[in-house]
Amino acid sequence: MSLAKPWRDLDRSTVGGAPDRYALYELGDADGDTVGFGTGVLRDELKEALAYGDAAKVRWELADSPDHAERLLADHVEE
């Protein structure tokens, strides 16, 4: 299930403004269709996603720890 957050363009300004915290993130294509989910330190993960160019949009939910991010992912995969 998709995150209930607005999409942001996956570009340098979004990556630069992303919190340096753990998060669950969702990547989307130019049409806003989900292409994948991930967890990790958000800014680092978005830098990698931007470098690979597999997504055009992103949205996220911040987490308190790596375990919390993984639980958020599991909750979204189960729904």
Coordinates of all heavy atoms in Angstrom, one line a residue:
M1 N 0.8 -1.2 0.0 CA 0.0 0.0 0.0 C 0.9 1.2 0.0 O 1.9 1.3 0.7 CB -0.9 0.0 1.2 CG -1.7 1.3 1.4 SD -2.7 1.2 2.9 CE -4.2 1.3 2.1
S2 N 0.5 2.2 -0.8 CA 1.3 3.4 -0.9 C 1.2 4.3 0.4 O 0.2 4.2 1.2 CB 0.8 4.3 -2.1 OG 1.0 3.6 -3.3
L3 N 2.2 5.1 0.6 CA 2.2 6.0 1.7 C 1.2 7.1 1.4 O 1.1 7.6 0.3 CB 3.6 6.6 1.9 CG 4.7 5.7 2.3 CD1 6.1 6.4 2.2 CD2 4.5 5.1 3.7
A4 N 0.6 7.6 2.5 CA -0.4 8.7 2.4 C 0.3 10.0 2.5 O 0.0 10.8 3.4 CB -1.5 8.5 3.4
K5 N 1.2 10.3 1.6 CA 2.0 11.5 1.6 C 2.0 12.0 0.2 O 2.0 11.2 -0.8 CB 3.4 11.3 2.1 CG 3.6 10.6 3.4 CD 3.6 11.6 4.5 CE 3.8 10.8 5.8 NZ 4.0 11.7 6.9
P6 N 2.2 13.3 0.0 CA 2.3 13.8 -1.4 C 3.7 13.4 -2.0 O 4.7 13.3 -1.3 CB 2.2 15.3 -1.3 CG 2.6 15.6 0.1 CD 2.3 14.4 0.9
W7 N 3.7 13.2 -3.4 CA 4.9 12.9 -4.1 C 5.8 14.2 -4.1 O 5.2 15.3 -4.2 CB 4.6 12.5 -5.5 CG 4.1 11.1 -5.7 CD1 2.8 10.7 -6.0 CD2 4.8 9.9 -5.5 NE1 2.7 9.4 -6.1 CE2 3.9 8.8 -5.8 CE3 6.1 9.5 -5.1 CZ2 4.2 7.5 -5.7 CZ3 6.4 8.2 -5.0 CH2 5.5 7.2 -5.3
R8 N 7.1 14.0 -4.1 CA 8.0 15.0 -4.4 C 8.9 14.6 -5.6 O 9.1 13.4 -5.7 CB 9.0 15.2 -3.2 CG 8.2 15.6 -1.9 CD 9.2 15.5 -0.8 NE 8.5 15.6 0.5 CZ 8.8 16.5 1.5 NH1 9.8 17.3 1.3 NH2 8.2 16.5 2.6
D9 N 9.3 15.6 -6.4 CA 10.2 15.2 -7.5 C 11.5 14.7 -6.9 O 12.0 15.3 -5.9 CB 10.5 16.5 -8.3 CG 9.3 16.9 -9.1 OD1 8.4 16.0 -9.4 OD2 9.2 18.1 -9.5
L10 N 12.0 13.7 -7.4 CA 13.3 13.2 -7.0 C 14.4 13.9 -7.7 O 14.8 13.6 -8.9 CB 13.4 11.6 -7.2 CG 14.7 11.0 -6.7 CD1 15.0 11.3 -5.3 CD2 14.7 9.5 -7.0
D11 N 14.9 15.0 -7.1 CA 15.9 15.8 -7.7 C 16.9 16.2 -6.7 O 16.8 15.9 -5.5 CB 15.3 17.0 -8.5 CG 14.4 17.9 -7.6 OD1 14.6 17.9 -6.4 OD2 13.6 18.6 -8.2
R12 N 17.9 17.0 -7.1 CA 19.0 17.4 -6.1 C 18.4 18.2 -5.0 O 18.9 18.1 -3.8 CB 20.1 18.2 -6.9 CG 21.0 17.4 -7.7 CD 22.0 18.2 -8.3 NE 23.0 17.4 -8.9 CZ 24.2 17.8 -9.2 NH1 24.5 19.1 -9.0 NH2 25.1 17.0 -9.7
S13 N 17.4 19.1 -5.2 CA 16.9 19.9 -4.1 C 16.2 19.1 -3.1 O 16.3 19.3 -1.9 CB 16.1 21.1 -4.7 OG 14.8 20.8 -4.7
T14 N 15.4 18.1 -3.6 CA 14.7 17.2 -2.7 C 15.7 16.4 -1.8 O 15.6 16.3 -0.6 CB 13.8 16.2 -3.4 OG1 12.8 17.0 -4.1 CG2 13.1 15.3 -2.5
V15 N 16.7 15.8 -2.5 CA 17.7 15.1 -1.8 C 18.5 15.9 -0.8 O 18.7 15.6 0.4 CB 18.7 14.4 -2.8 CG1 19.9 13.8 -2.0 CG2 18.0 13.4 -3.7
G16 N 18.8 17.2 -1.2 CA 19.5 18.1 -0.3 C 18.7 18.5 0.9 O 19.2 18.7 2.0
G17 N 17.4 18.5 0.8 CA 16.5 18.9 1.9 C 15.9 17.8 2.7 O 15.2 18.0 3.6
A18 N 16.3 16.6 2.3 CA 15.8 15.4 3.0 C 16.5 15.3 4.3 O 17.7 15.5 4.4 CB 16.0 14.1 2.1
P19 N 15.7 14.9 5.3 CA 16.3 14.7 6.7 C 17.4 13.6 6.6 O 17.2 12.6 5.9 CB 15.1 14.3 7.5 CG 13.9 14.7 6.8 CD 14.3 14.6 5.4
D20 N 18.4 13.7 7.5 CA 19.4 12.7 7.6 C 19.0 11.8 8.7 O 19.7 11.7 9.8 CB 20.7 13.5 7.9 CG 21.9 12.6 7.7 OD1 21.8 11.6 6.9 OD2 23.0 12.9 8.3
R21 N 17.9 11.1 8.5 CA 17.3 10.2 9.5 C 16.8 9.0 8.9 O 16.6 8.9 7.7 CB 16.1 10.9 10.2 CG 16.4 12.1 11.0 CD 15.2 12.7 11.7 NE 14.4 11.7 12.4 CZ 13.1 12.0 12.8 NH1 12.6 13.2 12.6 NH2 12.4 11.0 13.3
Y22 N 16.6 7.9 9.7 CA 16.0 6.7 9.2 C 14.6 7.0 8.7 O 13.8 7.8 9.3 CB 16.0 5.6 10.2 CG 17.4 5.1 10.4 CD1 18.1 5.5 11.5 CD2 17.9 4.1 9.6 CE1 19.4 5.0 11.7 CE2 19.2 3.6 9.8 CZ 19.9 4.1 10.8 OH 21.2 3.6 11.0
A23 N 14.2 6.2 7.6 CA 12.8 6.4 7.1 C 12.5 5.2 6.2 O 13.3 4.4 5.8 CB 12.8 7.7 6.2
L24 N 11.2 5.1 6.0 CA 10.6 4.3 5.0 C 10.4 5.2 3.8 O 9.8 6.3 4.0 CB 9.3 3.7 5.4 CG 8.4 3.1 4.3 CD1 9.0 1.9 3.7 CD2 7.0 2.7 4.9
Y25 N 10.8 4.8 2.6 CA 10.6 5.7 1.5 C 9.9 4.9 0.3 O 10.1 3.7 0.2 CB 11.8 6.4 1.0 CG 12.9 5.5 0.5 CD1 13.0 5.1 -0.8 CD2 13.9 5.0 1.5 CE1 14.0 4.2 -1.2 CE2 14.9 4.1 1.0 CZ 14.9 3.7 -0.3 OH 15.9 2.9 -0.7
E26 N 9.2 5.6 -0.5 CA 8.5 5.0 -1.6 C 9.0 5.7 -2.9 O 9.0 7.0 -2.9 CB 7.0 5.1 -1.5 CG 6.2 4.6 -2.6 CD 4.7 4.7 -2.4 OE1 4.3 5.3 -1.4 OE2 3.9 4.3 -3.2
L27 N 9.4 5.0 -3.9 CA 9.9 5.6 -5.1 C 8.8 5.4 -6.2 O 8.1 4.4 -6.2 CB 11.2 4.9 -5.6 CG 12.4 5.1 -4.7 CD1 13.5 4.2 -5.2 CD2 12.8 6.5 -4.6
G28 N 8.6 6.4 -7.0 CA 7.6 6.4 -8.1 C 8.1 6.8 -9.4 O 9.1 7.5 -9.5
D29 N 7.4 6.4 -10.5 CA 7.8 6.9 -11.8 C 7.2 8.3 -12.1 O 6.5 8.8 -11.2 CB 7.4 5.8 -12.9 CG 5.9 5.6 -13.0 OD1 5.1 6.4 -12.5 OD2 5.5 4.6 -13.6
A30 N 7.4 8.8 -13.3 CA 6.9 10.1 -13.6 C 5.4 10.2 -13.5 O 4.9 11.3 -13.3 CB 7.4 10.5 -15.0
D31 N 4.7 9.1 -13.7 CA 3.2 9.1 -13.6 C 2.7 9.0 -12.1 O 1.5 9.0 -11.9 CB 2.6 8.0 -14.4 CG 2.9 8.2 -15.9 OD1 2.9 9.4 -16.4 OD2 3.1 7.2 -16.6
G32 N 3.6 8.8 -11.2 CA 3.2 8.6 -9.8 C 2.9 7.2 -9.5 O 2.2 6.9 -8.4
D33 N 3.3 6.2 -10.3 CA 3.1 4.8 -10.0 C 4.3 4.3 -9.2 O 5.4 4.6 -9.5 CB 2.9 4.0 -11.3 CG 1.7 4.3 -12.1 OD1 0.6 4.6 -11.4 OD2 1.8 4.4 -13.3
T34 N 4.0 3.5 -8.2 CA 5.0 3.1 -7.3 C 6.0 2.1 -8.0 O 5.5 1.2 -8.7 CB 4.4 2.3 -6.1 OG1 3.6 3.3 -5.3 CG2 5.5 1.8 -5.1
V35 N 7.3 2.3 -7.9 CA 8.3 1.4 -8.4 C 9.0 0.6 -7.4 O 9.8 -0.3 -7.7 CB 9.2 2.1 -9.4 CG1 8.5 2.6 -10.6 CG2 10.0 3.2 -8.8
G36 N 8.9 1.0 -6.1 CA 9.6 0.3 -5.0 C 9.5 1.1 -3.7 O 9.2 2.2 -3.6
F37 N 9.9 0.3 -2.7 CA 10.0 0.8 -1.3 C 11.4 0.5 -0.8 O 12.0 -0.4 -1.3 CB 9.0 0.1 -0.4 CG 7.5 0.5 -0.5 CD1 6.7 -0.2 -1.4 CD2 7.0 1.6 0.1 CE1 5.4 0.2 -1.6 CE2 5.7 2.0 0.0 CZ 4.9 1.2 -0.9
G38 N 11.8 1.2 0.2 CA 13.1 1.0 0.8 C 13.1 1.6 2.2 O 12.3 2.4 2.6
T39 N 14.2 1.2 3.0 CA 14.4 1.8 4.3 C 15.9 2.1 4.4 O 16.7 1.6 3.7 CB 14.0 0.8 5.4 OG1 14.8 -0.3 5.3 CG2 12.5 0.5 5.4
G40 N 16.2 3.1 5.3 CA 17.6 3.4 5.5 C 17.7 4.9 5.9 O 16.6 5.5 6.2
V41 N 18.9 5.4 5.9 CA 19.1 6.8 6.2 C 18.6 7.5 4.9 O 19.2 7.3 3.9 CB 20.5 7.1 6.5 CG1 20.7 8.6 6.7 CG2 21.0 6.4 7.8
L42 N 17.6 8.3 5.1 CA 16.9 8.9 3.9 C 17.8 9.6 2.9 O 17.7 9.3 1.7 CB 15.7 9.8 4.4 CG 14.8 10.3 3.3 CD1 14.1 9.2 2.5 CD2 13.8 11.3 3.9
R43 N 18.5 10.5 3.4 CA 19.4 11.3 2.4 C 20.3 10.4 1.7 O 20.4 10.6 0.4 CB 20.1 12.4 3.2 CG 20.8 13.4 2.2 CD 21.5 14.5 2.9 NE 20.5 15.3 3.6 CZ 20.8 16.1 4.7 NH1 22.0 16.2 5.0 NH2 19.8 16.7 5.3
D44 N 20.9 9.5 2.3 CA 21.8 8.5 1.6 C 21.1 7.7 0.6 O 21.6 7.5 -0.5 CB 22.6 7.6 2.7 CG 23.5 8.4 3.6 OD1 23.9 9.5 3.3 OD2 23.8 7.8 4.6
E45 N 19.9 7.2 1.0 CA 19.2 6.3 0.1 C 18.7 7.1 -1.1 O 18.7 6.6 -2.2 CB 17.9 5.8 0.8 CG 18.3 4.8 2.0 CD 18.9 3.5 1.5 OE1 18.5 3.0 0.4 OE2 19.8 3.0 2.2
L46 N 18.3 8.4 -0.9 CA 17.8 9.2 -2.0 C 19.0 9.6 -3.0 O 18.8 9.7 -4.2 CB 17.1 10.4 -1.5 CG 15.8 10.1 -0.8 CD1 15.1 11.5 -0.5 CD2 14.9 9.2 -1.5
K47 N 20.2 9.8 -2.4 CA 21.3 10.1 -3.3 C 21.6 8.9 -4.2 O 21.8 9.1 -5.4 CB 22.6 10.3 -2.4 CG 22.7 11.6 -1.7 CD 23.9 11.7 -0.9 CE 24.0 13.0 -0.1 NZ 25.2 13.0 0.8
E48 N 21.5 7.7 -3.7 CA 21.7 6.5 -4.5 C 20.6 6.4 -5.5 O 20.8 6.1 -6.7 CB 21.7 5.3 -3.6 CG 22.1 4.0 -4.3 CD 22.4 2.9 -3.4 OE1 22.9 3.1 -2.3 OE2 22.0 1.8 -3.8
A49 N 19.3 6.6 -5.1 CA 18.2 6.5 -6.1 C 18.3 7.5 -7.2 O 18.1 7.2 -8.4 CB 16.9 6.6 -5.3
L50 N 18.8 8.7 -6.9 CA 18.9 9.7 -7.9 C 20.1 9.4 -8.8 O 19.9 9.5 -10.0 CB 19.2 11.1 -7.2 CG 19.4 12.3 -8.1 CD1 18.1 12.6 -8.9 CD2 19.7 13.5 -7.3
A51 N 21.1 8.8 -8.3 CA 22.3 8.4 -9.1 C 21.9 7.3 -10.1 O 22.4 7.4 -11.3 CB 23.4 8.0 -8.3
Y52 N 21.1 6.4 -9.7 CA 20.7 5.3 -10.6 C 19.6 5.7 -11.5 O 19.4 5.0 -12.6 CB 20.3 4.1 -9.8 CG 21.5 3.3 -9.2 CD1 21.8 3.4 -7.9 CD2 22.3 2.5 -10.0 CE1 22.9 2.7 -7.3 CE2 23.4 1.9 -9.5 CZ 23.7 2.0 -8.2 OH 24.8 1.3 -7.7
G53 N 18.8 6.7 -11.2 CA 17.8 7.2 -12.1 C 16.6 6.3 -12.4 O 16.0 6.4 -13.4
D54 N 16.3 5.4 -11.5 CA 15.2 4.5 -11.7 C 13.9 5.0 -11.3 O 12.8 4.4 -11.5 CB 15.5 3.2 -10.9 CG 16.7 2.4 -11.4 OD1 17.0 2.5 -12.6 OD2 17.2 1.6 -10.6
A55 N 13.9 6.2 -10.7 CA 12.6 6.8 -10.2 C 12.6 8.3 -10.5 O 13.7 8.9 -10.6 CB 12.4 6.5 -8.7
A56 N 11.4 8.8 -10.5 CA 11.2 10.3 -10.8 C 10.7 11.0 -9.6 O 10.8 12.2 -9.5 CB 10.4 10.5 -12.0
K57 N 10.0 10.2 -8.7 CA 9.3 10.8 -7.6 C 9.6 10.0 -6.3 O 10.0 8.9 -6.4 CB 7.8 10.9 -7.8 CG 7.4 11.7 -9.0 CD 5.9 11.8 -9.1 CE 5.5 12.6 -10.3 NZ 5.7 14.0 -10.1
V58 N 9.4 10.7 -5.1 CA 9.6 10.0 -3.9 C 8.7 10.6 -2.8 O 8.3 11.7 -2.9 CB 11.1 10.2 -3.4 CG1 11.5 11.7 -3.1 CG2 11.5 9.3 -2.2
R59 N 8.4 9.8 -1.8 CA 7.7 10.2 -0.6 C 8.2 9.3 0.5 O 8.7 8.2 0.3 CB 6.2 10.2 -0.8 CG 5.6 8.9 -1.2 CD 4.1 9.1 -1.5 NE 3.5 8.0 -2.3 CZ 2.4 8.1 -2.8 NH1 1.6 9.2 -2.8 NH2 1.9 7.0 -3.5
W60 N 8.1 9.8 1.7 CA 8.7 9.1 2.9 C 7.9 9.3 4.1 O 7.1 10.3 4.3 CB 10.1 9.4 3.0 CG 10.4 10.9 3.4 CD1 10.3 11.5 4.6 CD2 10.9 11.9 2.5 NE1 10.6 12.8 4.5 CE2 11.0 13.1 3.2 CE3 11.2 11.9 1.1 CZ2 11.5 14.3 2.7 CZ3 11.7 13.1 0.6 CH2 11.8 14.2 1.3
E61 N 8.2 8.4 5.1 CA 7.7 8.5 6.5 C 8.9 8.3 7.4 O 9.6 7.3 7.3 CB 6.7 7.5 6.8 CG 6.0 7.6 8.1 CD 4.8 6.8 8.3 OE1 4.1 6.4 7.3 OE2 4.5 6.4 9.4
L62 N 9.2 9.3 8.2 CA 10.4 9.2 9.1 C 10.2 8.2 10.2 O 9.1 7.9 10.6 CB 10.7 10.6 9.7 CG 11.0 11.7 8.8 CD1 11.2 13.0 9.5 CD2 12.3 11.3 8.0
A63 N 11.3 7.6 10.6 CA 11.3 6.6 11.6 C 12.3 7.0 12.7 O 13.2 7.8 12.5 CB 11.7 5.2 11.0
D64 N 12.2 6.3 13.9 CA 13.0 6.6 15.0 C 14.3 5.8 15.0 O 15.3 6.1 15.7 CB 12.3 6.4 16.3 CG 11.1 7.3 16.4 OD1 11.2 8.5 16.0 OD2 10.1 6.9 17.0
S65 N 14.3 4.7 14.3 CA 15.5 3.7 14.3 C 15.4 2.8 13.1 O 14.3 2.8 12.4 CB 15.4 2.9 15.6 OG 14.3 2.0 15.5
P66 N 16.4 2.1 12.8 CA 16.3 1.1 11.7 C 15.2 0.1 11.9 O 14.5 -0.2 11.0 CB 17.7 0.4 11.7 CG 18.6 1.4 12.4 CD 17.8 2.1 13.4
D67 N 15.0 -0.4 13.1 CA 14.0 -1.3 13.4 C 12.6 -0.7 13.2 O 11.7 -1.4 12.6 CB 14.0 -1.8 14.9 CG 15.2 -2.7 15.1 OD1 15.7 -3.3 14.1 OD2 15.6 -2.9 16.3
H68 N 12.4 0.5 13.6 CA 11.1 1.2 13.3 C 10.9 1.3 11.8 O 9.7 1.1 11.4 CB 11.1 2.6 14.0 CG 9.9 3.3 13.9 ND1 9.8 4.7 13.8 CD2 8.6 2.9 13.8 CE1 8.6 5.1 13.7 NE2 7.8 4.0 13.7
A69 N 11.9 1.7 11.1 CA 11.7 1.8 9.6 C 11.3 0.4 9.0 O 10.4 0.4 8.1 CB 13.0 2.3 9.0
E70 N 11.9 -0.6 9.5 CA 11.6 -2.0 9.0 C 10.1 -2.3 9.4 O 9.4 -3.0 8.6 CB 12.6 -3.0 9.5 CG 13.9 -2.9 8.9 CD 14.0 -3.1 7.4 OE1 13.2 -3.9 6.9 OE2 14.8 -2.5 6.8
R71 N 9.7 -2.0 10.6 CA 8.3 -2.2 11.0 C 7.3 -1.5 10.1 O 6.3 -2.0 9.7 CB 8.1 -1.9 12.4 CG 8.7 -2.9 13.4 CD 8.2 -2.7 14.8 NE 8.4 -1.4 15.3 CZ 9.5 -0.9 15.9 NH1 10.5 -1.7 16.1 NH2 9.5 0.3 16.4
L72 N 7.7 -0.2 9.8 CA 6.8 0.6 8.9 C 6.7 -0.1 7.5 O 5.6 -0.2 6.9 CB 7.4 2.0 8.7 CG 7.3 2.9 9.9 CD1 8.1 4.2 9.7 CD2 5.8 3.2 10.3
L73 N 7.8 -0.6 7.0 CA 7.8 -1.3 5.7 C 7.0 -2.5 5.8 O 6.1 -2.8 4.9 CB 9.3 -1.7 5.3 CG 9.4 -2.5 4.0 CD1 8.9 -1.7 2.8 CD2 10.9 -2.8 3.8
A74 N 7.1 -3.3 6.8 CA 6.3 -4.5 7.0 C 4.8 -4.2 7.1 O 4.0 -4.9 6.4 CB 6.7 -5.3 8.2
D75 N 4.5 -3.1 7.7 CA 3.1 -2.7 7.8 C 2.5 -2.3 6.5 O 1.4 -2.7 6.1 CB 2.9 -1.5 8.8 CG 3.1 -1.8 10.2 OD1 3.2 -3.1 10.5 OD2 3.3 -0.9 11.0
H76 N 3.3 -1.7 5.6 CA 2.8 -1.3 4.3 C 2.8 -2.4 3.3 O 1.9 -2.5 2.5 CB 3.7 -0.1 3.7 CG 3.3 1.2 4.3 ND1 3.6 1.6 5.5 CD2 2.5 2.2 3.7 CE1 3.0 2.8 5.8 NE2 2.4 3.2 4.7
V77 N 3.7 -3.4 3.5 CA 3.7 -4.6 2.6 C 2.5 -5.5 2.9 O 1.9 -6.0 2.0 CB 5.0 -5.3 2.7 CG1 5.0 -6.6 2.0 CG2 6.1 -4.5 2.2
E78 N 2.1 -5.6 4.2 CA 1.0 -6.4 4.6 C -0.3 -5.9 4.2 O -1.2 -6.7 4.0 CB 1.0 -6.6 6.1 CG 2.2 -7.4 6.6 CD 2.2 -7.5 8.1 OE1 1.3 -7.0 8.8 OE2 3.2 -8.1 8.6
E79 N -0.5 -4.6 4.1 CA -1.8 -4.0 3.8 C -2.2 -4.2 2.3 O -1.5 -4.4 1.5 CB -1.8 -2.5 4.1 CG -1.6 -2.2 5.6 CD -1.5 -0.8 5.9 OE1 -1.6 0.1 5.0 OE2 -1.3 -0.5 7.1

